[in-house]
């Protein structure tokens, strides 16, 4: 598999290739849309970041809590710079959430971190969804993203 540069994958075979790529030390990712695999785990078509910037793998503390507890926590990247792409929501866990986690944001650098935000969304059945946005430069300086959400019941 180390000598393979490009794979064309379809259907259920895509999942097998994806998991094999995640486990391999040589290949960190698979682009399931066009089947392209590279050693950096990046799609040359969709990823505008270089994949080797100084802040993209910054590790920070995440602490999110809510009243009542048990809300689902999601996050997404919102960028106003072309070097960093916006992302869809990703699931983090349920409140209270406390972990140390890498950003894993391709193209993130000191020069553009002020133009990138992390949006946290909490969702719990019977309550309105709530969102808060955090400036990434401030989160890096403080080495954490933390917040408390007072959930409002739906009427």
């Amino acid at each position: 598999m180390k000598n393979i540069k490009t794979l064309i994958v379809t259907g259920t075979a895509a999942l097998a290739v994806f998991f094999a790529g995640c486990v391999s030390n040589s290949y960190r990712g698979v682009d399931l849309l066009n089947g392209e695999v590279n050693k950096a785990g990046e799609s040359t078509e969709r990823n505008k970041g270089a994949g080797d910037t100084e802040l993209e793998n910054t590790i920070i503390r995440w602490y999110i809590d809510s009243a009542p507890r048990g809300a689902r926590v999601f996050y997404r990247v919102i960028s106003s710079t072309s070097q960093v792409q916006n992302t869809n929501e990703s699931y983090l866990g349920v409140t209270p959430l406390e972990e140390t986690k890498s950003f894993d944001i391709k193209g993130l650098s000191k020069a553009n971190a002020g133009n990138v935000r992390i949006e946290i969304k909490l969702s719990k059945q019977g309550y309105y969804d709530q969102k808060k946005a955090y400036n990434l430069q401030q989160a890096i300086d403080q080495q954490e993203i933390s917040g408390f959400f007072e959930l409002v019941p739906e009427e």
Side-chain angles (χ1 to χ4, degrees):
M1 185 168 193
K2 290 183 180 181
N3 294 328
I4 298 173
K5 297 292 181 192
T6 304
L7 297 173
I8 305 300
V9 293
T10 59
T12 57
L15 290 175
V17 172
F18 174 76
F19 287 118
C22 290
V23 172
S24 169
N25 290 331
S26 298
Y27 294 95
R28 293 191 333 226
V30 174
D31 183 343
L32 295 178
L33 292 179
N34 64 17
E36 189 171 303
V37 179
N38 68 21
K39 288 188 178 188
E42 302 165 345
S43 164
T44 55
E45 293 296 317
R46 295 185 320 185
N47 184 8
K48 296 181 183 185
D52 59 0
T53 59
E54 69 270 20
L55 294 181
E56 66 187 29
N57 291 313
T58 300
I59 298 173
I60 63 163
R61 176 181 179 258
W62 297 67
Y63 182 75
I64 308 294
D65 202 356
S66 67
R69 289 182 164 178
R72 293 174 293 170
V73 182
F74 302 88
Y75 82 99
R76 71 182 182 127
V77 175
I78 301 171
S79 173
S80 60
T81 177
S82 63
Q83 291 87 22
V84 177
Q85 288 187 301
N86 294 328
T87 65
N88 293 325
E89 289 181 349
S90 295
Y91 178 74
L92 283 174
V94 297
T95 60
L97 175 81
E98 183 172 10
E99 63 180 49
T100 303
K101 179 177 172 53
S102 169
F103 284 135
D104 195 26
I105 301 173
K106 300 291 184 219
L108 183 64
S109 68
K110 291 177 185 175
N112 64 24
N115 296 320
V116 179
R117 294 179 295 144
I118 295 286
E119 181 183 82
I120 304 289
K121 179 179 108 175
L122 266 63
S123 180
K124 184 172 176 78
Q125 187 172 12
Y127 295 85
Y128 291 106
D129 290 356
Q130 289 191 20
K131 296 178 183 179
K132 289 184 182 179
Y134 297 84
N135 179 284
L136 213 47
Q137 183 61 58
Q138 291 175 339
I140 291 167
D141 291 345
Q142 296 170 0
Q143 297 183 341
E144 81 170 5
I145 291 180
S146 62
F148 183 82
F149 292 73
E150 189 75 41
L151 300 179
V152 178
E154 292 178 341
E155 295 180 15

